[in-house]
Amino acid sequence: MFQDMIILCLIGLASIQQFTASLRTEHIRVKTDHVLQLIDDMFVGVTIAGSQLRSNLKYHNVSSPKLLALGKALAPGYLRIGGSSVDAMVFDPTHNIATGQQFQLPVNTWDDLNMYVHKIGLKLVIGLNLMLRDGTKWNPSNAKQLLKYSSDKGYTFAGIELGNGRF
């Protein structure tokens, strides 16, 4: 088996040698007298999986100077809460929701996240749970509750996604 691996490596090296022998130097001239394309300042975006809100914010101090400095380095840009886990996330302002397969997004976690996003200067994009259903139809009541709470608190969104593309 060891000999077979050596033979494979030698064959691989031989094919690389043929390829590298054909390389040559190219000269490129770049005209700088006019702009061809501008990239918007809001080009940068990062995603936090919704599942991270399940437990990690309670272990991270979102008002920590280090975490704020790291976040500010990404601004301007977007912070997206998404991924397949948002289809299991239920906003729970009362701590009384029986979630089954879902997980609760408590008010204090939502408030902490919004405070952090506001302080660092990113725009928030949130994914809503598409799996909350009345039979075959989406039940928007939890999404409405989250949006109303956010509106009442003055939280803004750069975007809202419905689910994570499962359908």
Side-chain angles (χ1 to χ4, degrees):
M1 183 170 156
F2 181 71
Q3 289 175 336
D4 293 339
M5 289 180 64
I6 290 175
I7 291 171
L8 286 173
C9 289
L10 291 174
I11 291 171
L13 287 174
S15 65
I16 289 173
Q17 185 180 15
Q18 284 178 334
F19 176 73
T20 57
S22 67
L23 293 179
R24 63 178 188 244
T25 303
E26 293 290 336
H27 297 278
I28 299 171
R29 189 176 352 166
V30 178
K31 293 182 178 184
T32 59
D33 57 336
H34 66 281
V35 175
L36 295 178
Q37 182 67 43
L38 292 175
I39 297 175
D40 191 281
D41 288 341
M42 295 293 287
F43 175 73
V44 174
V46 294
T47 297
I48 295 176
S51 61
Q52 296 298 310
L53 300 181
R54 180 181 296 201
S55 60
N56 285 353
L57 279 187
K58 67 182 170 184
Y59 301 115
H60 296 293
N61 178 3
V62 291
S63 58
S64 136
K66 285 183 181 179
L67 197 54
L68 289 168
L70 288 170
K72 285 179 183 179
L74 297 171
Y78 298 99
L79 176 64
R80 175 182 172 257
I81 307 300
S84 57
S85 56
V86 298
D87 282 332
M89 187 171 67
V90 177
F91 178 63
D92 184 9
T94 62
H95 303 289
N96 291 326
I97 295 175
T99 57
Q101 297 286 351
Q102 313 292 322
F103 72 89
Q104 296 174 336
L105 173 61
V107 167
N108 61 325
T109 300
W110 184 242
D111 290 340
D112 288 347
L113 176 69
N114 276 278
M115 179 272 309
Y116 179 72
V117 167
H118 177 73
K119 281 187 176 182
I120 63 175
L122 292 178
K123 306 290 184 196
L124 186 62
V125 177
I126 182 77
L128 300 176
N129 186 338
L130 181 61
M131 301 308 290
L132 293 175
R133 303 220 158 239
D134 289 330
T136 59
K137 293 172 67 177
W138 177 55
N139 179 345
S141 61
N142 192 257
K144 288 178 182 178
Q145 196 173 23
L146 174 66
L147 296 174
K148 177 164 180 6
Y149 178 85
S150 298
S151 176
D152 290 348
K153 294 288 253 179
Y155 302 152
T156 59
F157 300 101
I160 298 171
E161 302 173 336
L162 182 56
N164 191 51
R166 290 186 181 187
F167 297 100

